[in-house]
Amino acid sequence: MPPPGRLEEGVFRWPKIEDGVMRLSAAELSALLEGLDWRRVHAAQETVVPTQAG
């Protein structure tokens, strides 16, 4: 079964329009175009990797 919000189900969730503009990150746009739930996409968080032990 496709995830909720798929066009095949007759429902499609568009991003909110504010001041006449629809704002999406590159990851959200990619998810939207792939038919995924773009609302579940979150910004990647940078992970700090230690350069040496201790």
Side-chain angles (χ1 to χ4, degrees), residues 24-36:
L24 289 172
S25 69
E28 290 170 333
L29 176 60
S30 179
L32 180 70
L33 294 175
E34 291 293 327
L36 303 173

Side-chain angles (χ1 to χ4, degrees), residues 1-53:
M1 177 176 208
R6 294 288 301 251
L7 189 56
E8 292 86 4
E9 295 176 354
V11 177
F12 193 77
R13 306 266 189 261
W14 283 102
K16 185 177 178 182
I17 297 175
E18 296 177 6
D19 299 323
V21 177
M22 183 184 305
R23 291 179 175 83
L24 289 172
S25 69
E28 290 170 333
L29 176 60
S30 179
L32 180 70
L33 294 175
E34 291 293 327
L36 303 173
D37 187 353
W38 61 269
R39 298 169 296 166
R40 298 188 68 171
V41 174
H42 300 286
Q45 295 180 352
E46 185 175 334
T47 303
V48 177
V49 179
T51 56
Q52 58 182 335

